[in-house]
């Protein structure tokens, strides 16, 4: 079964959202919990490459990839074929009941591709949050210690344990507590907002943060430090060079596991297979999800063999984790990433996005900083470049103006003032340029 190819250009047939989407949104309001919100309520029917087609026939440019998931693009041919074939052959057994090859093959790929060439083992789950939960389980089990350290601006999921690790109150945590205990938060090495000024972040952050862990928790109580090598939901915050290697080394010296949450930054998104690769950082445990399986739900936990194998048989698992259809989608996505060299493509996308954003920065003092790596780029908007007061209302206005023109954009940031770009890595140059033009118009109309 193949469907009509989708031409890779934007088409606006109605307002966005149009009447068909508005009718669906009325049904949504009557049927779906208000707690589940919709950023751009244009109901999508089909997608391919950098285009999403909505219920009114509008063709929208996708700068979000469903939050960094469809890195190979919707409808990637290998993924479609693999899923169609697999679903007709075998949908589910539960790997813990009757195993199948695809699960093993995905673990082999994870062991091979994640940072470091040491002996590794993996386990598969359904969501990023579940992978993080399992990283915490393994870290506590192996070290016999309890405390887990996470960072300001961190995002690790919406389950009770991962909410304790996620930093932002609204909308994630508000009135959903109490949260799991023995979770501690330390400042993030966030150059743009480092109290002593951006130029001092590289020198000061590591010492300040490890002093805090020592004084407030104690290394001997600390099972793991978990960090997103480039923070995602918290604002695409990139720590200064040298920070991650120093932190990983410090963890090793103190028998603390260094866990990289690569759920958002992994699988070619930042121009490498994983964001840790940029500085050769080798974590003890790595969590993956999102881009791994071209849109099918799958996540993984990969770690040093002796850590992952120290768990008793039956200690890790779940009914659906590593579902066969998701596993073949992952294998096909990884093959697509290799074949099209999507890591290199992410670096090309960075060049194009930065050129467009640099022009905006030159024209508007409200562009406080442009940062990120590969196809994970953001701009932080401020009301005044001196005070750096966050410009959340402007961020929302620009986002809405982009949506109205059929450009699917996302915001992020603890302060709600970061505009982020996460296009599929298979998007064409023309769509990137057109998206940047739409953004420039949206900016001009909103400031
Ligand atoms: N770790 C680094 O980015 C998910 C959240 C969307 P799940 N980020 C998108 C939302 O508002 O719910 C994420 C992440 C990092 C873990 C997670 C959690 O992954 O698959 O959403 O559970």
């Amino acid at each position: 079964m193949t469907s009509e190819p989708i031409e890779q250009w934007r088409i606006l047939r109605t307002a966005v959202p149009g009447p068909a989407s508005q009718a669906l949104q009325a049904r949504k309001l009557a049927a779906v919990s208000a707690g589940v919100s919709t950023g751009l309520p244009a109901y999508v029917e089909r997608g391919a490459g950098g285009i999403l087609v909505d219920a009114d026939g509008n063709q929208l440019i996708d700068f979000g990839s469903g939050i960094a998931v469809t890195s190979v693009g919707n409808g990637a041919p290998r993924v479609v074929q693999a899923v169609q074939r697999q679903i007709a052959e075998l949908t589910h057994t539960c790997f813990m009941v009757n195993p199948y090859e695809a699960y093993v093959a995905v673990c082999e790929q994870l062991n091979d591709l994640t940072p470091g060439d040491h002996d590794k083992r993996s386990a598969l789950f359904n969501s990023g949050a579940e992978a993080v939960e399992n990283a915490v389980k393994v870290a506590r089990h192996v070290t016999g210690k309890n405390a887990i350290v996470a960072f300001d601006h961190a995002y690790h999921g919406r389950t009770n344990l991962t909410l304790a690790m996620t930093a932002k109150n609204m909308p994630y945590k508000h009135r959903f507590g109490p949260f799991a205990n023995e979770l501690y938060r330390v400042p993030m090495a966030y150059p743009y907002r480092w109290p002593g000024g951006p130029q001092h972040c590289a020198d000061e952050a590591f010492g300040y943060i490890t002093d805090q862990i020592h004084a407030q928790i104690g290394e001997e109580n600390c099972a793991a430090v978990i960090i997103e090598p480039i923070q995602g939901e918290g604002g695409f915050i990139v720590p200064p060079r040298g920070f991650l290697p120093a932190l990983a080394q410090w963890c090793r010296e103190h028998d603390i596991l260094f866990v990289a949450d690569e759920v958002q930054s992994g699988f070619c998104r930042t121009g490498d297979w994983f964001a840790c690769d940029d500085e050769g950082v080798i974590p003890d445990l790595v969590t993956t999800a999102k881009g791994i399986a071209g849109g099918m739900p799958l996540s993984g936990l990969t770690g040093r063999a002796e850590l992952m194998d120290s768990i008793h048989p039956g200690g890790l698992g779940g009914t659906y984790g590593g579902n066969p259809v998701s596993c073949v989608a992952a294998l096909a996505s990884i093959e697509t990433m290799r074949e099209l060299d999507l890591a290199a493509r992410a670096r090309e996308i960075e060049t194009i996005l930065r050129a467009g954003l640099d022009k905006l920065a030159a024209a508007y003092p409200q562009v406080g900083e442009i940062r990120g790596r590969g196809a994970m780029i953001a701009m932080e908007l401020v009301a005044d470049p001196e005070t750096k007061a966050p410009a959340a209302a402007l961020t929302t206005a620009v986002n809405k103006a982009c949506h109205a023109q059929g450009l699917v954009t996302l915001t992020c940031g603890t302060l709600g003032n970061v505009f982020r770009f996460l296009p599929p890595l298979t998007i064409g140059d023309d769509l990137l340029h057109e998206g940047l033009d739409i953004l420039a118009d949206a900016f001009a109309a909103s400031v």
Side-chain angles (χ1 to χ4, degrees):
M1 207 185 82
T2 50
S3 47
E4 283 285 291
I6 298 171
E7 302 291 355
Q8 292 295 298
W9 53 65
R10 180 179 64 132
I11 301 173
L12 294 188
R13 297 185 198 281
T14 68
V16 179
S21 281
Q22 285 172 30
L24 287 165
Q25 185 68 357
R27 281 173 56 195
K28 183 266 180 192
L29 293 174
V32 181
S33 162
V36 184
S37 63
T38 48
L40 166 51
Y43 281 71
V44 172
E45 293 183 342
R46 304 172 61 213
I51 291 288
L52 297 170
V53 185
D54 78 9
D56 293 284
N58 298 305
Q59 298 208 165
L60 315 174
I61 302 177
D62 184 8
F63 270 17
S65 307
I67 322 188
V69 170
T70 50
S71 296
V72 294
N74 265 287
R78 279 183 185 281
V79 177
V80 172
Q81 263 178 19
V83 166
Q84 284 180 340
R85 198 178 315 124
Q86 182 61 45
I87 209 156
E89 299 284 336
L90 180 77
T91 333
H92 174 82
T93 60
C94 183
F95 189 76
M96 301 181 307
V97 179
N98 293 108
Y100 38 87
E101 182 185 352
Y103 186 115
V104 179
V106 171
C107 291
E108 288 168 348
Q109 291 292 327
L110 281 168
N111 298 345
D112 185 37
L113 294 171
T114 51
D117 52 13
H118 52 285
D119 200 17
K120 295 175 209 150
R121 301 284 186 274
S122 292
L124 303 180
F125 306 97
N126 301 292
S127 65
E130 213 185 336
V132 172
E133 292 244 350
N134 280 279
V136 172
K137 280 166 65 175
V138 170
R140 286 179 170 158
H141 183 97
V142 171
T143 60
K145 305 192 266 183
N146 291 329
I148 304 289
V149 178
F151 288 79
D152 282 349
H153 309 287
Y155 185 94
H156 296 292
R158 292 178 183 261
T159 57
N160 185 270
L161 174 61
T162 56
L163 274 184
M165 306 161 79
T166 290
K168 188 175 177 176
N169 178 46
M170 281 301 270
Y172 308 123
K173 302 173 77 159
H174 182 63
R175 298 182 66 155
F176 291 138
F179 302 110
N181 58 18
E182 286 303 306
L183 271 301
Y184 297 86
R185 189 172 311 291
V186 291
M188 176 61 184
Y190 181 178
Y192 184 65
R193 291 187 184 275
W194 187 253
Q199 68 279 19
H200 296 297
C201 184
D203 296 338
E204 295 175 3
F206 169 73
Y208 183 74
I209 290 163
T210 48
D211 283 353
Q212 295 247 313
I213 298 173
H214 172 77
Q216 297 184 19
I217 310 162
E219 293 87 340
E220 65 279 22
N221 303 315
C222 200
V225 170
I226 179 161
I227 190 163
E228 301 152 79
I230 296 180
Q231 287 184 318
E233 303 305 305
F236 282 25
I237 298 164
V238 188
R241 286 197 80 74
F243 176 77
L244 292 173
L247 189 64
Q249 177 61 27
W250 180 84
C251 285
R252 239 185 320 274
E253 285 163 10
H254 293 91
D255 195 22
I256 298 168
L257 297 187
F258 181 81
V259 185
D261 182 349
E262 292 256 16
V263 165
Q264 189 155 160
S265 57
F267 283 102
C268 298
R269 176 56 53 186
T270 63
D272 288 295
W273 278 105
F274 293 94
C276 279
D277 293 332
D278 186 55
E279 290 189 85
V281 172
I282 300 181
D284 297 299
L285 297 170
V286 184
T287 56
T288 52
K290 291 190 183 278
I292 189 177
M296 297 297 290
L298 186 72
S299 67
L301 174 65
T302 303
R304 289 198 277 121
E306 67 273 24
L307 306 178
M308 296 293 287
D309 277 347
S310 76
I311 308 295
H312 47 279
L316 302 176
T319 304
Y320 291 113
N323 167 273
V325 183
S326 293
C327 283
V328 298
L331 295 171
S333 297
I334 292 167
E335 228 171 284
T336 304
M337 289 177 198
R338 275 208 183 90
E339 188 177 71
L340 303 179
D341 195 356
L342 291 184
R345 179 62 187 152
R347 294 192 290 271
E348 288 171 10
I349 292 172
E350 171 170 3
T351 305
I352 294 171
L353 288 179
R354 278 189 183 270
L357 298 179
D358 284 345
K359 274 190 218 151
L360 276 187
Y364 299 101
Q366 290 90 343
V367 179
E369 186 179 52
I370 295 163
R371 59 177 178 249
R373 218 160 51 232
M376 185 171 183
I377 298 288
M379 60 178 178
E380 175 157 358
L381 302 182
V382 291
D384 171 346
E386 291 304 313
T387 64
K388 298 184 179 175
L394 173 64
T395 309
T396 305
V398 175
N399 199 37
K400 292 240 170 305
C402 289
H403 291 177
Q405 289 304 312
L407 177 65
V408 182
T409 46
L410 301 170
T411 62
C412 62
T414 310
L415 306 170
N417 66 324
V418 181
F419 206 88
R420 62 171 152 173
F421 303 85
L422 287 167
L425 306 178
T426 51
I427 195 171
D429 288 1
D430 289 353
L431 289 180
L432 289 172
H433 289 298
E434 192 178 354
L436 286 164
D437 290 345
I438 294 168
L439 174 71
D441 291 345
F443 222 95
S446 307
V447 284

